């Protein structure tokens, strides 16, 4: 049975080789998560689907679709509000996706076994 090498040696001295291995692994996990985000698409909607926006996983707006029923020349303000609401909804979806993909990798440096991380 192989014992797990501790990132901190007795006396509080860090095991630099083990820390480097962990840092390299974390760096690869971050790169993988970033690649997944770059390829992902999320949507935000408002007005029961009258306005839909599509964003990349990195937050770049890819498309905006507006149902003709949402277009009223006498009430442009409502359409503006719907577009803004759809963008906010999409941005929240990007944030949630980012947290899902990056959280396990970067959320809590406690995996390094260092005090204060």
């Amino acid at each position: 049975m192989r014992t797990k090498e501790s990132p901190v040696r007795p006396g509080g001295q860090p095991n630099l080789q083990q820390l480097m291995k962990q840092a390299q692994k974390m760096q690869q996990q971050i790169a993988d998560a970033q690649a997944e985000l770059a390829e992902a698409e999320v949507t935000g909607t408002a007005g029961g689907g009258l306005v839909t926006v599509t964003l990349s996983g990195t937050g770049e707006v890819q498309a905006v679709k507006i149902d003709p029923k949402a277009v009223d020349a006498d009430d442009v303000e409502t359409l503006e509000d719907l577009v803004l609401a759809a963008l906010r909804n999409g941005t929240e979806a990007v944030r949630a996706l980012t947290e899902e993909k990056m959280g396990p990798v970067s959320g809590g440096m406690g995996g390094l076994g260092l005090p204060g991380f």
Side-chain angles (χ1 to χ4, degrees):
M1 183 173 153
R2 187 174 179 199
T3 60
K4 184 178 177 186
E5 195 172 335
S6 174
V8 179
R9 292 184 176 159
Q13 294 297 317
N15 182 333
L16 295 180
Q17 183 178 4
Q18 185 64 20
L19 289 175
M20 288 300 294
K21 284 181 187 178
Q22 288 178 329
Q24 287 172 341
K25 181 179 177 184
M26 184 183 295
Q27 187 176 24
Q28 184 59 52
Q29 290 172 330
I30 289 171
D32 293 345
Q34 288 172 331
E36 286 182 45
L37 286 171
E39 293 184 21
E41 271 191 0
V42 298
T43 58
T45 61
L50 291 175
V51 176
T52 302
V53 295
T54 304
L55 298 96
S56 70
T58 58
E60 183 179 334
V61 177
Q62 302 290 318
V64 176
K65 300 228 184 270
I66 300 172
D67 188 305
K69 291 182 258 185
V71 180
D72 180 352
D74 295 327
D75 188 12
V76 174
E77 189 175 301
T78 295
L79 179 55
E80 292 169 341
D81 289 344
L82 289 173
V83 171
L84 184 59
L87 285 168
R88 286 181 177 151
N89 183 255
T91 301
E92 176 59 26
V94 168
R95 188 204 57 73
L97 181 63
T98 301
E99 188 174 298
E100 174 188 323
K101 298 293 181 186
M102 298 297 285
V105 177
S106 62
M109 300 289 277
L112 294 178
L114 297 175
F117 283 92

